[in-house]
Amino acid sequence: MEKYRKIAGKCLAAVLSAAMALSLAACAGGTGSSESQSQSAKQEAAAEKPAQATGEKIVNVGVTGTVNTLNPLLMDGVEINKYATGLMFLPLMELDTNMEFEPMLADSITAEDEKHFLVHIDDEAVWSDGQPVTADDVVYTALRLCSPAIANTAMMYYVFEGVGDDGFVEMGADHIEGITKVDDKTVRFATKEPMSLVTFQNSYARYLMPLPKHVIGEIPEAELASHEWFAKPDVVSGPYRVTAFDKDHYVSYEANEKYWKGAPKIPKLNIRIVEGSQLYAGLQSGEIDITQNTMSAIPLEDYESLQALETVETSFGDAITNQSVFINTKNVPDQKFRQALLYAIDRNQILEQLLKGNGEVVDGFLSTAGPYYDPSIEPVSYDPAKAKELLAESNWMPSSPLRFYIDSGDSTFVNAASVIAAQWAAVGIQTEIRTMDINTLMSTAGSGDFDIMAVQYTYPPVDPYVDIAWLLGGEGSWTGYSHTEAEEALSKIAVLSDKEELKEQYGIIDRRMQEDVPMFSAYVIRTMAAKNKRLTGVNPSVYGFFNHVEEWDITG
């Protein structure tokens, strides 16, 4: 289990950084000199003009999370960074709207066995200067991702042969033993431990964005993390290139007319970073053309107003963001007491009243959005009498109120937590709600100094393995929970690729969650997205949003 915990621990940091970015989006603000802020303001003002006012084809994408980097060598798990960068540098593979893996720069990824994977670059793939994208570009980029001079720990490359357990190669290394060129268009990846093809594609292929070695290969390693080339790269593999960038306000792009999949129909595209409260006004005025479910946090109170706009189409994404409640089993050791906590909550009432039905109630980790969801696992129903019965049978009762830690920035769950605490009190369980900002909450979770803790958590539907392995990793994990049956299921999941076999093993884990309750889902959120009706060739989706951005167009 230790090796799974190590992999998952670093994945978890990346996943949570994405959650933090979303939670903190409303308070993001710019810093810097007054001169740079003035210049940014002018550029942002230009980006704000709706296309119908200028006669140009311009699309403004409204998001509520800061874009921290456009450098593929600094990628972490924050999706907005990946999507903003992927418009210039295609990843090897991406998920489509149906959560199937879709070729992007690679046209195929295959498993030779449980430790060896072949990546083949599309024969048609070329850089914007006409040079072919080759295996050398992939190997070069992977080597730099493992550079101690760049020091990116988020990408977890220590799983590959020849990379140290710290995720780095030796300073100045000129190759990686486990990432090698087979021919001009093929690269072989060799892992230290067995890995499923699904995990390789989701955790590595989606985040590896090859760079043009022939353009930047001579830049010293130590300069790559901050080199000015990445602010306005002149050679790209994707549909757009950046023209201006302010991480707290906008990213402006122009079309790559030589894009090998076809020149984009929209010459200019902007990612506009705003507060959630500004999205409605922007969509109403036409200054924002489209939002996306996970990058654009539309406030619940604006849902009905947006749905009433004649110029806007709204839609709801799959339920993938889980309001998870984690119980520290070391501090709350009695199984029946934990079961009572779950039976005492009317989760459907919370879903209908606070989320207006925009979500679902499930038990365990998996929602209906994922391919491994088992509909035969019926959520535990609200039954306060059963909760009282379990408490009476319990061999443990806390001497003081349970400390219930929540994110102060999640206003919906702040209200939900009050309802939950009242329902617990009704059956005889006393709790003390403690609100704190997301960074403090994560620090508290890591220290284990809590009884119950809740946070929004997205378990990647196609591969939730690494997160679950961490969260059920025994001592040192948030739950402190481990179980032989769950560990056996996780060891099988690590190398499985067949969906039905994976569903069976994940079902074993979710049933254990019902039985032992080291965690439960308060609800799973379905978020709204919106687009101006004049924008064609795209519909907002949780995954695959930018996969075919070259086909977007404006009519009317």
Side-chain angles (χ1 to χ4, degrees):
M1 193 65 175
E2 186 63 31
K3 69 182 180 185
Y4 305 135
R5 185 183 303 170
K6 183 174 182 181
I7 294 172
K10 292 200 175 183
C11 248
L12 177 70
V15 170
L16 290 175
S17 65
M20 290 179 203
L22 183 61
S23 299
L24 297 175
C27 18
T31 58
S33 69
S34 59
E35 181 180 351
S36 64
Q37 288 177 340
S38 175
Q39 183 179 4
S40 295
K42 291 177 182 177
Q43 291 172 323
E44 184 181 12
E48 286 180 358
K49 294 179 181 178
Q52 61 264 39
T54 65
E56 294 182 276
K57 284 187 177 183
I58 302 173
V59 167
N60 291 313
V61 182
V63 305
T64 52
T66 298
V67 179
N68 291 318
T69 185
L70 295 174
N71 187 336
L73 301 179
L74 301 179
M75 281 300 102
D76 50 22
V78 179
E79 293 291 89
I80 190 170
N81 294 336
K82 186 173 82 69
Y83 291 140
T85 305
L87 286 168
M88 297 185 291
F89 303 105
L90 295 182
L92 297 174
M93 193 73 65
E94 188 51 275
L95 290 168
D96 65 16
T97 57
N98 298 316
M99 284 186 260
E100 300 286 345
F101 289 106
E102 178 177 359
M104 296 301 286
L105 198 59
D107 60 11
S108 69
I109 298 180
T110 56
E112 294 181 296
D113 54 39
E114 293 178 348
K115 292 185 179 182
H116 296 88
F117 305 91
L118 285 180
V119 173
H120 187 270
I121 303 300
D122 195 307
D123 289 331
E124 301 298 318
V126 295
W127 298 103
S128 54
D129 64 358
Q131 293 295 310
V133 181
T134 68
D136 289 329
D137 297 316
V138 177
V139 171
Y140 165 81
T141 305
L143 179 61
R144 294 297 176 256
L145 281 166
C146 298
S147 167
I150 295 171
N152 182 350
T153 60
M155 289 295 95
M156 309 173 294
Y157 272 53
Y158 56 85
V159 302
F160 296 111
E161 291 286 356
V163 182
D165 288 343
D166 59 357
F168 306 130
V169 293
E170 294 293 329
M171 186 70 76
D174 61 3
H175 74 285
I176 300 173
E177 180 184 343
I179 304 177
T180 54
K181 174 182 176 179
V182 177
D183 57 42
D184 284 347
K185 286 287 186 175
T186 310
V187 179
R188 175 178 286 110
F189 289 77
T191 61
K192 298 174 185 175
E193 302 287 346
M195 179 183 293
S196 72
L197 178 59
V198 171
T199 295
F200 178 81
Q201 292 184 108
N202 189 60
S203 295
Y204 299 98
R206 287 185 66 222
Y207 291 89
L208 178 51
M209 304 175 189
L211 290 163
K213 181 182 178 183
H214 68 285
V215 176
I216 64 171
E218 298 304 316
I219 298 175
E221 285 183 62
E223 297 178 18
L224 283 168
S226 58
H227 200 276
E228 62 184 4
W229 185 84
F230 291 96
K232 285 188 177 182
D234 55 348
V235 176
V236 298
S237 63
Y240 286 89
R241 59 167 60 87
V242 165
T243 58
F245 172 42
D246 179 321
K247 72 182 185 69
D248 294 313
H249 298 99
Y250 61 85
V251 188
S252 294
Y253 302 85
E254 65 180 7
N256 170 16
E257 297 294 339
K258 297 181 179 179
Y259 183 42
W260 59 281
K261 292 189 178 184
K265 297 177 181 178
I266 304 293
K268 294 182 180 180
L269 182 146
N270 303 301
I271 291 177
R272 290 195 53 216
I273 301 163
V274 300
E275 295 185 3
S277 59
Q278 296 175 292
L279 289 172
Y280 170 75
L283 286 159
Q284 182 184 40
S285 68
E287 292 178 353
I288 291 176
D289 297 290
I290 191 167
T291 69
Q292 190 262 357
N293 306 84
T294 59
M295 294 191 294
S296 316
I298 299 173
L300 280 167
E301 55 267 27
D302 288 339
Y303 279 17
E304 291 183 4
S305 297
L306 276 172
Q307 289 172 318
L309 291 177
E310 292 185 0
T311 58
V312 170
E313 292 178 0
T314 60
S315 59
F316 287 90
D318 294 319
I320 66 166
T321 301
N322 195 317
Q323 185 68 58
S324 289
V325 181
F326 300 100
I327 302 172
N328 186 336
T329 57
K330 180 179 179 181
N331 294 347
V332 187
D334 191 275
Q335 177 194 31
K336 289 188 176 180
F337 185 94
R338 297 195 301 268
Q339 289 176 342
L341 288 169
L342 185 52
Y343 275 103
I345 306 171
D346 190 343
R347 291 179 287 174
N348 284 308
Q349 177 195 48
I350 293 170
L351 179 66
E352 293 302 320
Q353 294 184 358
L354 297 183
L355 276 78
K356 300 179 182 179
N358 296 310
E360 63 188 28
V361 172
V362 300
D363 279 342
F365 296 98
L366 306 185
S367 72
T368 58
Y372 316 125
Y373 174 75
D374 186 345
S376 70
I377 303 176
E378 296 183 7
V380 168
S381 59
Y382 173 53
D383 191 341
K386 177 69 172 179
K388 290 179 180 179
E389 178 184 328
L390 287 164
L391 286 175
E393 296 173 0
S394 168
N395 295 317
W396 180 82
M397 184 62 71
S399 57
S400 59
L402 296 174
R403 298 166 299 163
F404 185 16
Y405 290 89
I406 63 174
D407 174 13
S408 59
D410 184 351
S411 59
T412 300
F413 193 73
V414 168
N415 293 330
S418 296
V419 174
I420 290 171
Q423 291 177 341
W424 281 339
V427 300
I429 300 172
Q430 301 303 316
T431 55
E432 176 189 352
I433 296 175
R434 300 186 183 184
T435 60
M436 54 186 60
D437 66 81
I438 188 68
N439 291 309
T440 305
L441 182 65
M442 293 301 94
S443 177
T444 301
S447 71
D449 188 21
F450 69 93
D451 300 318
I452 306 172
M453 186 272 293
V455 69
Q456 285 190 18
Y457 201 121
T458 299
Y459 307 97
V462 298
D463 186 33
Y465 157 72
V466 288
D467 297 283
I468 296 174
W470 156 251
L471 292 164
L472 304 185
E475 186 176 354
S477 69
W478 284 357
T479 62
Y481 171 88
S482 63
H483 190 282
T484 301
E485 187 179 28
E487 288 189 4
E488 290 176 353
L490 284 166
S491 67
K492 294 177 182 178
I493 289 169
V495 296
L496 286 174
S497 294
D498 181 81
K499 286 184 180 179
E500 290 306 313
E501 292 178 349
L502 284 164
K503 180 186 290 188
E504 179 182 352
Q505 298 306 317
Y506 279 119
I508 290 171
I509 293 169
D510 274 359
R511 286 187 171 86
R512 284 253 60 91
M513 297 305 97
Q514 281 191 329
E515 184 69 21
D516 295 339
V517 200
M519 64 79 66
F520 63 86
S521 300
Y523 46 75
V524 188
I525 306 165
R526 294 175 67 240
T527 54
M528 177 184 280
K531 74 163 186 174
N532 193 296
K533 292 180 180 178
R534 65 192 182 85
L535 187 60
T536 63
V538 59
N539 288 302
S541 56
V542 173
Y543 292 103
F545 181 60
F546 284 129
N547 285 15
H548 301 285
V549 66
E550 72 278 6
E551 297 176 3
W552 295 14
D553 204 352
I554 292 173
T555 60

